[in-house]
Amino acid sequence: MTVAEWCVFGTLMVYLLTIVPVKWIGFRSFNNAKPRDPSFYADPIRARALGAHQNGIESFPFFAVAVLLAEFHAAPQSRINELALLFLIVRIAYVFTYLGDRPRLRSILWNIGFTINIGIFFLPLIRNYLPG
């Protein structure tokens, strides 16, 4: 497996691990029979963890597809790996800014992550213009 493919797995784990600790910590008030009960997420940190989790679910498909298409169309693997690793780092920082209630920085990081995804997606198209 490539570094980029491991980053796809890492990105999946980031969005899963964003919500799991909140449910574990609140195990006395979390009802697994009603996992989407709004009253559990009334607490601000829980609400932010849920938001970060949901955004991770939303951003994951584009990232995974971009990586796989770039690899399928023989874009330079080293560039795919670099951008995928950068995306994973940005996503981790994004989660921390979401949990830390830093909306402006969070939005900046989201835009950086989206731009990285676009870069990965279009790597096959621009591969002939890249150095080395």
Side-chain angles (χ1 to χ4, degrees):
M1 288 181 62
T2 66
V3 169
E5 290 164 356
W6 280 109
C7 288
V8 169
F9 177 73
T11 302
L12 172 77
M13 294 308 296
V14 166
Y15 87 69
L16 289 175
L17 293 175
T18 300
I19 197 69
V20 169
V22 171
K23 291 179 179 181
W24 281 347
I25 291 168
F27 73 93
R28 288 194 173 103
S29 59
F30 179 73
N31 181 353
N32 200 41
K34 299 177 185 176
R36 290 179 174 83
D37 182 11
S39 64
F40 179 77
Y41 299 103
D43 176 73
I45 190 74
R46 291 178 186 170
R48 289 193 302 270
L50 179 62
H53 171 73
Q54 290 171 333
N55 186 268
I57 292 170
E58 294 162 359
S59 68
F60 179 76
F62 182 36
F63 173 63
V65 168
V67 166
L68 295 175
L69 284 175
E71 290 183 343
F72 179 77
H73 288 288
Q77 189 63 52
S78 62
R79 301 275 187 211
I80 300 169
N81 291 343
E82 291 165 357
L83 289 173
L85 191 56
L86 185 58
F87 179 78
L88 179 57
I89 291 167
V90 167
R91 283 305 301 180
I92 292 168
Y94 175 88
V95 168
F96 282 114
T97 59
Y98 212 130
L99 294 175
D101 199 18
R102 303 290 304 256
R104 180 170 288 151
L105 182 56
R106 183 185 83 220
S107 294
I108 291 168
L109 289 171
W110 185 92
N111 282 291
I112 291 169
F114 188 72
T115 302
I116 292 167
N117 276 340
I118 291 171
I120 295 169
F121 186 84
F122 285 108
L123 267 176
L125 184 66
I126 63 171
R127 70 175 166 237
N128 296 329
Y129 303 102
L130 297 172

